[in-house]
Amino acid sequence: MPAPEGAEITKISPLDLFGKGDREVVGEAVRKVFAEGETSGVEADIVSKDGRIIPYFFTGRKVVIDNADCLIGMGVDITERKLLEQKLLRSENLLVETQKMSKIGGWEYDVKTKKTTWTEEVYRIHGLPKEFDTNNVSKCIDFYTPQDRPAIEHAFYEAVENGVPYELELQFIS
């Protein structure tokens, strides 16, 4: 159907929806789709008609229609997720600062991977570099007094094997 008389027709590229920096990212993702068949997705900001920046997550797949390579894609507005990520980061930073002020550290043991993660404050408390192997449980238990070690070992074992929570007051050796 032809455009109404007097109507202005403007041809734009879909890439015109993106800010300059994201045009390259999205363009590369599109090239990857045509080269490899699909993409695992890309985040990019769309510039709305009124100038607002809206974060989106895009994914796409190459399909053949009438012997022509075509791109089928989907975009999802991720504004809410981005706001929640910012809020979580602020909360995490507050926790780190609170741990520094109160000289309280924290650690986590992942039962599935058998990996231990320490907060920065635990490294500082023990005077250790970030390269210290936190997964060597025996070496970590050695930071506590010999009389406290059996209680730590028992509590750790019960927590890992049976899900029993524990609360211990311990003395550590610096």
Side-chain angles (χ1 to χ4, degrees), residues 102-105 107 118 121-128 139-149 152 168-174:
S102 61
K103 298 185 181 357
I104 296 173
W107 59 274
W118 285 3
E121 191 62 12
V122 174
Y123 287 101
R124 194 201 61 73
I125 288 169
H126 290 297
L128 296 169
K139 200 166 190 171
C140 293
I141 289 175
D142 285 345
F143 290 121
Y144 297 90
T145 61
Q147 61 268 26
D148 283 341
R149 291 175 193 159
I152 296 169
L168 299 173
E169 193 168 309
L170 308 165
Q171 295 180 354
F172 74 92
I173 303 165
S174 64

Side-chain angles (χ1 to χ4, degrees), residues 65-82:
I65 300 175
D66 294 331
N67 294 321
D69 288 344
C70 300
L71 170 70
I72 293 182
M74 177 184 78
V76 178
D77 181 339
I78 57 171
T79 302
E80 188 174 333
R81 188 190 90 197
K82 289 293 191 180

Side-chain angles (χ1 to χ4, degrees), residues 23-79:
R23 284 182 194 152
E24 293 174 21
V25 172
V26 173
E28 181 56 36
V30 169
R31 284 186 287 283
K32 184 178 178 184
V33 168
F34 283 109
E36 299 175 13
E38 63 183 279
T39 180
S40 58
V42 64
E43 288 185 16
D45 293 334
I46 285 183
V47 181
S48 71
K49 209 174 187 180
D50 61 2
R52 289 179 301 121
I53 305 295
I54 304 168
Y56 264 78
F57 176 80
F58 295 94
T59 187
R61 166 171 268 160
K62 179 173 82 171
V63 295
V64 178
I65 300 175
D66 294 331
N67 294 321
D69 288 344
C70 300
L71 170 70
I72 293 182
M74 177 184 78
V76 178
D77 181 339
I78 57 171
T79 302

Side-chain angles (χ1 to χ4, degrees), residues 144-164:
Y144 297 90
T145 61
Q147 61 268 26
D148 283 341
R149 291 175 193 159
I152 296 169
E153 289 171 350
H154 176 74
F156 184 77
Y157 175 82
E158 285 295 314
V160 170
E161 295 299 319
N162 303 315
V164 177

